[in-house]
Amino acid sequence: MLSLRDITKRYPNGTQVLQGLNLTLEKGSILGLVGESGCGKSTLARIICMLEDFQGGDICLDGVSYRKLKVQERRLVRRRVQMVFQDASGSLDPRQRVFHMLQEPLRNYESLSRSALQKRVEGLLKAVGLDTAKAENYPHELSGGQRQRVLIARALATEPEYLICDEPVSSLDQENQERILALLVPLLKAKRLSCLFITHDISLAARVSGGILVMRAGKIEEERSACAAGSYGEAGISC
Ligand SMILES: Nc1ncnc2c1ncn2[C@@H]1O[C@H](COP(=O)(O)OP(=O)(O)OP(=O)(O)O)[C@@H](O)[C@H]1O
Ligand SMILES: [Mg+2]
């Protein structure tokens, strides 16, 4: 379980983004987080993934406080909690081939032979519905939907337990959104991943998640229930 209590965040320029935010993500569940632009969703996502610090409050992962982690334990949390970023174009290094991007997180945490790496990368590409030949491509040689699939594959590389998805489909057209969601949600369920699904689209949150938190001005303002199964991933069930 991931639990955030009274989180506050102020940027060095004085912007107070989070103001006593509380949130609990249960194991194996998909929780939607919606809120208008600028309310602090991405900041919150980066804090959960340890890409940014916070001032007040605490985050506990299965009862262990972020504030008490030693260096090795921080590494382990980073491995267990991964992020799918908002903007596929901006989040992929234009000078790196897909193979390089996917093998990097693997090499950070495991010592694998070249052939084992190759196999794992191919497995990741297949898991997100990409041809293994795409490993040789640079980001600009991929479509928007394919880039988003690479981002998902990269987040899955370390075999995380928690996935923080920050607007994972908002840069895509409707058709590609549907395709990526039809891939992502069953994948989350099959792997029993816990997911915070961030979006500004409340109807989308209702389709994918079991519950929805509404964020406003750096706080959770409201909690709404959604269809527990969601309309993705379980054929025939629709909210
Ligand atoms: N590095 C930074 N330094 C200073 N202020 C920042 C920084 N990053 C974000 N902010 C500010 O923090 C606030 C929240 O930004 P954030 O990106 O978390 O919002 P968001 O809810 O994800 O918005 P969107 O829906 O547009 O993605 C904004 O006012 C933004 O300008
Ligand atoms: Mg954002």
Side-chain angles (χ1 to χ4, degrees):
M1 187 172 86
L2 186 70
S3 132
L4 281 73
R5 290 288 159 262
D6 292 324
I7 300 298
T8 62
K9 167 74 181 179
R10 178 194 287 269
Y11 281 111
N13 67 0
T15 310
Q16 183 76 40
V17 186
L18 304 181
Q19 339 214 22
L21 183 139
N22 293 296
L23 175 162
T24 301
L25 177 59
E26 302 282 353
K27 261 223 157 105
S29 66
I30 305 177
L31 182 62
L33 179 74
V34 298
E36 60 200 23
S37 183
C39 73
K41 304 182 296 297
S42 296
T43 301
L44 174 67
R46 290 194 297 271
I47 287 174
I48 294 173
C49 296
M50 287 192 167
L51 302 172
E52 263 183 44
D53 60 2
F54 55 97
Q55 282 89 35
D58 200 0
I59 302 180
C60 287
L61 182 65
D62 295 334
V64 179
S65 157
Y66 271 27
R67 294 195 179 279
K68 295 187 179 144
L69 297 173
K70 302 193 177 78
V71 176
Q72 270 308 105
E73 293 167 331
R74 287 178 74 83
R75 250 175 75 77
L76 186 60
V77 171
R78 284 209 185 92
R79 179 179 184 167
R80 294 176 64 196
V81 185
Q82 287 284 319
M83 180 158 171
V84 177
F85 288 89
Q86 186 164 4
D87 167 21
S89 308
S91 308
L92 297 175
D93 187 335
R95 296 157 302 174
Q96 287 185 350
R97 291 181 201 269
V98 169
F99 179 81
H100 189 91
M101 289 179 235
L102 296 185
Q103 56 111 49
E104 206 170 28
L106 291 170
R107 285 165 67 111
N108 279 343
Y109 292 100
E110 295 177 58
S111 54
L112 296 168
S113 66
R114 174 84 194 175
S115 66
L117 262 180
Q118 186 83 36
K119 268 200 185 135
R120 290 282 290 276
V121 167
E122 285 177 8
L124 287 166
L125 288 170
K126 283 183 192 155
V128 296
L130 284 175
D131 191 306
T132 54
K134 291 282 180 247
E136 295 310 313
N137 288 140
Y138 289 97
H140 74 268
E141 296 170 327
L142 302 174
S143 70
Q146 289 167 342
R147 280 196 291 267
Q148 203 61 34
R149 285 169 196 259
V150 171
L151 272 190
I152 294 169
R154 191 174 66 177
L156 293 176
T158 64
E159 298 181 342
E161 293 158 55
Y162 294 86
L163 207 57
I164 311 302
C165 295
D166 187 7
E167 308 253 17
V169 295
S170 61
S171 62
L172 303 174
D173 60 40
Q174 187 68 32
E175 196 184 325
N176 266 311
Q177 285 197 2
E178 295 296 326
R179 285 205 189 123
I180 296 287
L181 290 169
L183 165 92
L184 180 62
V185 180
L187 222 149
L188 294 171
K189 290 181 178 172
K191 290 182 179 288
R192 299 198 167 279
L193 285 171
S194 315
C195 174
L196 185 66
F197 191 97
I198 299 174
T199 171
H200 55 266
D201 180 348
I202 196 154
S203 63
L204 178 57
R207 288 170 74 191
V208 303
S209 62
I212 302 172
L213 301 177
V214 181
M215 187 170 170
R216 194 155 297 138
K219 272 187 187 172
I220 302 300
E221 197 178 73
E222 194 187 329
E223 191 169 346
R224 296 187 193 178
S225 65
C227 171
S231 57
Y232 289 102
E234 288 175 37
I237 299 173
S238 157
C239 295

